Structure formats: C-alpha cells, structure tokens
C-alpha cells in the first residue's frame, strides 16, 4: 500500500471528529497519523507525501479557511499536498459546494477500505491540473459540467488564471512540473 509511507494530518477538533479520521487513516493504511497541532514530529521524521484530512462536521467557513491556509503555506510540501474531505453521503448541492472549495478529493463514507485506498492512491504518481486565480489555488474545477479533462471548453477561461501541473511522487514529494 503506497499510503504506508505517507502521513495523514487531521485538521479538525479533537474528540469525535479526530477519532473518526484516525479510524479512516488506519483503515486506509497511512504510515503515520497525527493531529495538526502535533505536526512538529513531521519535521523530525518527514514523510514524502502528507495528506491533510478534514472532517465533514467542521463548519464550512472553517473548512474554507483551512484550505486557504494550506494552499498559501510557504512550503510546497504543504501547499501542494492533497487535501481530502471525509464526508457523509450528501446531496448534490452540498457535494458541489465542497468541490468548489478546492478539495483534492471528497470521500463519502461508508466505502470499502480498498476503494478508499485506490481513491487516495490516485493523488500519487499522477499529473494533476491546478488553477491559480486571484482568489483560488487548487484542483481545476472550471466547467465541471463539461465531460473529459481534455474537452476544448475546459482549456480556456474568460478570467486571468495560471495553470499548473502538479505531480506528487514518493521520491520527490509534490512538485510543479
């Protein structure tokens, strides 16, 4: 399991949300799991890829603030790290709201551990398009209704943006190609 060399950092309150994310991290085979208040241990023993996990019970304003903080962090290891929301099954409007916030993935539970591992592993050793605008930095979410990543309508936009290709590997960590 490629996640065994990765760290998972819970960005949530202690208590039930933290315990829930801890169960998730164990079920998916993360090598290390910690609360964001304990990240100093990552400086002593760095992980090649850090996944930031958010819990659905966190208020939406706090989710958005956490995403902005992570995406503006000076270190590319944090700024380009996968940020995953662990959610309950939700309606389409709520799901699209989460997508537009800029999560790298939104995992709706319950799901089988192997499906979760496969989903999370897609964040590693794949090129991922990120977009930067005046008020957003994260996965390309423009024209979500247009099928296919190479569709002509996805390749341009009326407002100023910068397009990046992000690649996360166990050897190099997250980098901009």
């Amino acid at each position: 399991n490629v996640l065994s060399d990765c760290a998972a950092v819970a960005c949530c309150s202690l208590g039930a949300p933290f315990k829930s994310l801890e169960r998730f991290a164990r079920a998916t085979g993360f090598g290390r799991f910690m609360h964001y208040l304990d990240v100093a241990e990552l400086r002593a023993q760095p992980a090649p890829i850090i996944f930031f996990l958010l819990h659905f019970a966190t208020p939406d304003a706090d989710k958005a603030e956490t995403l902005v903080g992570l995406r503006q962090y000076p270190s590319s290891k944090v700024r380009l790290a996968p940020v995953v929301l662990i959610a309950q099954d939700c309606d389409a409007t709520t799901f699209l709201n989460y997508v537009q916030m800029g999560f790298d993935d939104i995992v709706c539970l319950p799901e089988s551990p192997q499906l979760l591992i496969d989903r999370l592993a897609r964040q590693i050793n794949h090129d991922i398009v990120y977009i930067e605008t005046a008020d957003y930095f994260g996965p390309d979410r423009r024209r979500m209704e247009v099928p296919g990543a190479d569709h002509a309508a996805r390749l341009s936009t009326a407002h100023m943006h910068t397009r990046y290709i992000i690649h996360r590997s166990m050897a190099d960590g997250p980098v901009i190609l």
Side-chain angles (χ1 to χ4, degrees), residues 16-123:
F18 179 77
K19 292 293 184 192
S20 174
L21 293 178
E22 183 177 37
R23 284 190 300 277
F24 175 86
R26 286 206 173 120
T28 51
F30 278 99
R32 288 190 288 168
F33 175 77
M34 66 205 65
H35 191 265
Y36 74 93
L37 295 174
D38 299 322
V39 294
E41 70 182 71
L42 281 175
R43 289 184 192 98
Q45 290 183 304
I49 306 285
I50 303 166
F51 282 73
F52 291 93
L53 306 179
L54 278 79
H55 191 272
F56 66 90
T58 302
D60 284 354
D62 292 347
K63 288 181 190 97
E65 184 180 327
T66 299
L67 272 165
V68 167
L70 291 170
R71 298 297 187 214
Q72 293 178 349
Y73 201 81
S75 165
S76 62
K77 191 167 198 124
V78 172
R79 188 173 64 255
L80 305 176
V83 183
V84 179
L85 176 65
I86 311 306
Q88 291 180 319
D89 206 13
C90 57
D91 61 54
T93 302
T94 302
F95 188 84
L96 284 176
N97 181 44
Y98 293 153
V99 168
Q100 291 170 342
M101 280 185 188
F103 288 99
D104 288 275
D105 202 353
I106 299 135
V107 177
C108 294
L109 299 178
E111 280 296 347
S112 74
Q114 189 57 53
L115 182 114
L116 297 172
I117 291 165
D118 293 345
R119 286 269 299 271
L120 295 170
R122 282 187 228 145
Q123 297 294 326

